Amino acid sequence: MDLVFPKLCPVCLARGRIPAGNVCPDCTTEFVDLPEPRCRDCGGVIDGVLDVCAECVRLHDVRPWEHAVTVYRFGGHARHAIHRLKYGGHTFLAPFFGARMAENWHVYGLGTPDVVVPVPLHWLKKCLRGYNQSELLAREFCRRGRMPLGDALRRTRWTAQQARLDAAARRRNMKGVFACRAKANVHGLHILVVDDVLTTGATLAAATDALLAAGAASVSVLTLARG
Ligand SMILES: [Zn+2]
Ligand SMILES: [Zn+2]
């Protein structure tokens, strides 16, 4: 029963009988999905008359994917909870976030992809952290949407922290950082890449480039938040 109705809200840790993949009623009001209309290229809010946002017009060359969906604006409660998932070991947040991603992909996405691929961490970073948050999100997403999870991507080198870099520097920093695994056959497939946050898009662009170079038919991206 504890698996179906955990005893604690994964966000505020309040006691209560909460259905798996959910949060308590108080937290539900704090986590609000992005409003419509949404930008086709980043999943964020549209701020003009086009079907893409102003930043996606400006960063057009960092959008090699076909379509993007995201759930939250990266701020406030969502930002805090994502930091807990990413750096605080609070992996018990993944079922809630994965459920939100599944619901948003169902409404705003492009149907069922052939395979869902999380953005990989460098093996040493994953070793130090103990897990890859994007992999946890992708696994929960796949479980809910009954979609196949793959590990087609690998990281070819360690990258510097991106937080202080601008868009152009991030792109340079990420260029060629991903490659397709030799055993992964992505030829002709429609692939959905999952990551935690889309900021400039440099990481997801590098992941998309690697998959397209290996013969993928198309790549879409799904993130938890738009930075
Ligand atoms: Zn709560
Ligand atoms: Zn956009």
Side-chain angles (χ1 to χ4, degrees):
M1 268 311 269
D2 283 1
L3 281 175
V4 184
F5 289 101
K7 289 197 181 81
L8 301 177
C9 166
V11 173
C12 69
L13 308 182
R15 289 189 173 276
R17 283 166 63 84
I18 296 152
N22 269 293
V23 293
C24 73
D26 287 349
C27 289
T28 302
T29 62
E30 307 285 4
F31 285 81
V32 182
D33 291 3
L34 282 160
E36 294 178 17
R38 295 184 180 190
C39 172
R40 162 195 88 200
D41 280 359
C42 72
V45 178
I46 289 180
D47 39 13
V49 294
L50 302 173
D51 58 354
V52 290
C53 71
E55 191 180 338
C56 285
V57 172
R58 191 164 53 80
L59 295 178
H60 180 70
D61 60 340
V62 201
R63 304 283 186 264
W65 53 79
E66 189 172 337
H67 186 78
V69 173
T70 193
V71 181
Y72 302 116
R73 193 191 308 276
F74 190 51
H77 291 273
R79 183 190 186 111
H80 184 237
I82 292 168
H83 271 268
R84 284 170 51 202
L85 169 68
K86 201 165 171 176
Y87 304 113
H90 291 193
T91 54
F92 50 80
L93 285 161
F96 166 57
F97 285 147
R100 299 306 311 138
M101 290 168 95
E103 205 162 297
N104 275 260
W105 179 259
H106 183 70
V107 175
Y108 302 104
L110 297 179
T112 306
D114 293 315
V115 64
V116 177
V117 177
V119 169
L121 287 180
H122 188 272
W123 66 268
L124 180 56
K125 197 172 271 184
K126 185 175 172 181
C127 206
L128 294 171
R129 194 174 290 175
Y131 59 93
N132 171 1
Q133 70 283 351
S134 299
E135 199 179 303
L136 299 181
L137 294 172
R139 185 170 299 144
E140 291 295 336
F141 171 80
C142 286
R143 203 168 57 79
R144 291 186 173 264
R146 295 171 195 273
M147 295 181 202
L149 180 68
D151 65 343
L153 289 172
R154 64 181 179 84
R155 206 127 178 158
T156 60
R157 59 182 157 82
W158 184 272
T159 45
Q161 268 286 354
Q162 299 231 88
R164 288 192 197 86
L165 304 178
D166 65 18
R170 283 184 187 220
R171 187 118 213 244
R172 279 196 301 278
N173 191 34
M174 295 309 293
K175 199 162 178 60
V177 89
F178 299 109
C180 248
R181 290 184 194 283
K183 66 176 169 63
N185 183 5
V186 299
H187 197 86
L189 299 185
H190 298 275
I191 298 177
L192 179 62
V193 178
V194 169
D195 203 3
D196 48 7
V197 182
L198 189 160
T199 308
T200 64
T203 301
L204 285 157
T208 301
D209 287 343
L211 291 165
L212 292 175
S218 72
V219 177
S220 291
V221 303
L222 172 64
T223 57
L224 189 50
R226 172 73 167 99

